[in-house]
Amino acid sequence: MSKSKLSILSGYLKSRQINYLEDDNIRPTKTYIREVIFNVCEIHSDFNTLDLFCGSGILSLESISRGVNKAYLVDNNREVCKMISSEFTKLKVKNYEMFNMDVTKFVQMNPEINFDIIFIDPPYKYNNLRDIMLSLQSSNIFQENRYIYFEQHKKNKDSTISEILIDDYEMVKDLSIGEVSYTIAKKRIK
């Protein structure tokens, strides 16, 4: 597999570049969308993020660069996990934990961690995003969560996914750019 580069947009790692593996299943979140995410999601130093289908790891790095406490990354591809760990080491980033495992199995583990921001960016050919959302909802992972970001392929967008969240979350952004449909949801304060 060949490598490509991405630049971190803001924070203490601003303008630093990372390598990621070029693969049909890895689609790093576009620069414009990353800007939107981090303009919408407030970042606090006690926040933890969860990056499901982490691919390039760029969303976790953007979070860390902006000051989150810790990032948790999950991906089932061993080479992807090795590459991300190598890039984090190169940047001297230590406040992360990598899980080389299936996302569904990770969610079923029901970790006892508060994830303030959850990023869900599966490969376009992945067709179980709805099941992942339902699993997250039935676990305690959504309990203390503040923001959820998820991507889908525009032509295969499943609008019922937002319906899963609608009782507890406000859809702050639900837009498309190119072939990407993305949603940012903010937990309602009760």
Side-chain angles (χ1 to χ4, degrees), residues 10-86:
S10 189
Y12 82 92
L13 295 169
K14 182 178 179 175
S15 301
R16 299 287 302 271
Q17 291 193 326
I18 62 161
N19 293 305
Y20 70 94
L21 296 176
E22 282 188 10
D23 180 298
D24 289 342
N25 292 323
I26 299 173
R27 297 170 296 92
T29 302
K30 296 176 184 312
T31 301
Y32 167 77
I33 298 173
R34 281 187 277 142
E35 288 175 357
V36 171
I37 292 169
F38 292 100
N39 284 335
V40 168
C41 299
E42 297 173 32
I43 300 292
H44 298 281
S45 60
D46 61 340
F47 273 20
N48 294 317
T49 63
L50 176 61
D51 194 347
L52 301 174
F53 307 96
C54 60
S56 67
I58 193 65
L59 291 174
S60 290
L61 274 175
E62 292 283 3
S63 301
I64 289 168
S65 184
R66 288 166 169 82
V68 299
N69 177 53
K70 191 167 184 179
Y72 296 81
L73 299 90
V74 183
D75 203 287
N76 68 350
N77 184 318
R78 175 168 282 138
E79 293 304 311
V80 163
C81 292
K82 279 189 204 174
M83 173 64 82
I84 291 171
S85 293
S86 170

Side-chain angles (χ1 to χ4, degrees), residues 2-176:
S2 60
K3 299 177 188 175
S4 289
K5 292 192 178 292
L6 289 168
S7 292
I8 299 168
L9 301 175
S10 189
Y12 82 92
L13 295 169
K14 182 178 179 175
S15 301
R16 299 287 302 271
Q17 291 193 326
I18 62 161
N19 293 305
Y20 70 94
L21 296 176
E22 282 188 10
D23 180 298
D24 289 342
N25 292 323
I26 299 173
R27 297 170 296 92
T29 302
K30 296 176 184 312
T31 301
Y32 167 77
I33 298 173
R34 281 187 277 142
E35 288 175 357
V36 171
I37 292 169
F38 292 100
N39 284 335
V40 168
C41 299
E42 297 173 32
I43 300 292
H44 298 281
S45 60
D46 61 340
F47 273 20
N48 294 317
T49 63
L50 176 61
D51 194 347
L52 301 174
F53 307 96
C54 60
S56 67
I58 193 65
L59 291 174
S60 290
L61 274 175
E62 292 283 3
S63 301
I64 289 168
S65 184
R66 288 166 169 82
V68 299
N69 177 53
K70 191 167 184 179
Y72 296 81
L73 299 90
V74 183
D75 203 287
N76 68 350
N77 184 318
R78 175 168 282 138
E79 293 304 311
V80 163
C81 292
K82 279 189 204 174
M83 173 64 82
I84 291 171
S85 293
S86 170
E87 294 301 299
F88 280 39
T89 298
K90 180 178 81 177
L91 295 171
K92 297 182 171 85
V93 170
K94 296 181 181 173
N95 55 331
Y96 77 98
E97 195 166 334
M98 176 68 68
F99 294 86
N100 178 208
M101 64 189 306
D102 180 76
V103 166
T104 305
K105 288 182 181 165
F106 178 85
V107 172
Q108 289 169 348
M109 284 177 18
N110 204 7
E112 297 287 325
I113 301 165
N114 290 338
F115 300 111
D116 300 279
I117 304 174
I118 300 174
F119 305 111
I120 310 169
D121 186 7
Y124 282 158
K125 67 181 183 182
Y126 185 84
N127 58 5
N128 291 335
L129 182 56
R130 181 177 170 75
D131 294 340
I132 291 295
M133 286 295 194
L134 290 169
S135 294
L136 286 165
Q137 188 179 47
S138 65
S139 74
N140 70 352
I141 293 176
F142 276 174
Q143 225 169 34
E144 299 298 323
N145 173 253
R146 296 182 194 206
Y147 297 97
I148 297 169
Y149 167 80
F150 61 94
E151 276 189 31
Q152 303 179 69
H153 192 283
K154 182 178 173 180
K155 76 175 184 185
N156 298 325
K157 183 177 179 180
D158 182 352
S159 59
T160 65
I161 293 171
S162 292
E163 292 170 13
I164 294 168
L165 302 172
I166 201 71
D167 288 341
D168 296 315
Y169 291 85
E170 172 190 354
M171 299 306 131
V172 179
K173 298 280 182 187
D174 191 12
L175 303 168
S176 296

